[in-house]
Amino acid sequence: ADTAAIRERFARWTVAFNAGDATGACDLFAPDLVYTVPEVIDGSREQLCGNLARVMAKPGVRLRYDPPAIHEIVVDGDTAVVRLTWTLTAEADGRTETTSEEGMDVFRRQPDGRWSIARFIAFTTRPNALVP
């Protein structure tokens, strides 16, 4: 049941992101989120949600994530670790570019029972040139 709930959280995130719903996309992340991506070592939920809102609001740029390729989910009590690959397609100025992002997410069960990402690390071997 926990694995299915985590998969559902990713599915809802993908739908929200692809619809340009920054608030819905931010719902996946715990209030105490800390993350690391290229150029950000100790990112916060506030930073991430602000960046999502800015990127989604860029005129002339369309971003779409495929559902993640989940390689592994390990659940231990109220903590879960997910190893996955995201595929991002960006469209701008008549051009399309697709890139992959490797990541590891640490979920914690929240007081309301939902699984949320509390920590994550993600990287790509080639940045998407069309992402502002």
Side-chain angles (χ1 to χ4, degrees):
D2 291 329
T3 298
I6 289 167
R7 288 180 184 277
E8 177 63 23
R9 295 284 279 153
F10 281 127
R12 288 181 185 272
W13 184 91
T14 304
V15 168
F17 183 92
N18 291 344
D21 176 6
T23 301
C26 281
D27 182 62
L28 178 61
F29 303 102
D32 64 339
L33 173 71
V34 178
Y35 69 93
T36 300
V37 296
E39 300 178 18
V40 178
I41 301 298
D42 288 315
S44 67
R45 184 178 194 276
E46 182 179 317
Q47 269 181 291
L48 179 66
C49 293
N51 288 341
L52 283 172
R54 277 189 293 284
V55 161
M56 290 176 175
K58 290 281 185 183
V61 177
R62 178 165 151 50
L63 303 173
R64 182 182 54 78
Y65 273 102
D66 291 347
I70 297 173
H71 307 299
E72 178 177 27
I73 299 177
V74 178
V75 178
D76 186 11
D78 289 337
T79 302
V81 178
V82 180
R83 195 171 55 84
L84 71 170
T85 302
W86 288 98
T87 299
L88 172 67
T89 300
E91 298 174 10
D93 301 323
R95 298 180 2 216
T96 300
E97 183 168 353
T98 300
T99 51
S100 297
E101 301 164 7
E102 301 301 321
M104 188 167 294
D105 299 338
V106 177
F107 279 77
R108 275 202 304 252
R109 192 183 324 264
Q110 300 301 301
D112 65 3
R114 295 186 320 150
W115 288 96
S116 295
I117 295 175
R119 305 289 184 269
F120 79 82
I121 186 166
F123 67 93
T124 182
T125 57
R126 182 180 61 83
N128 192 305
L130 301 180
V131 175

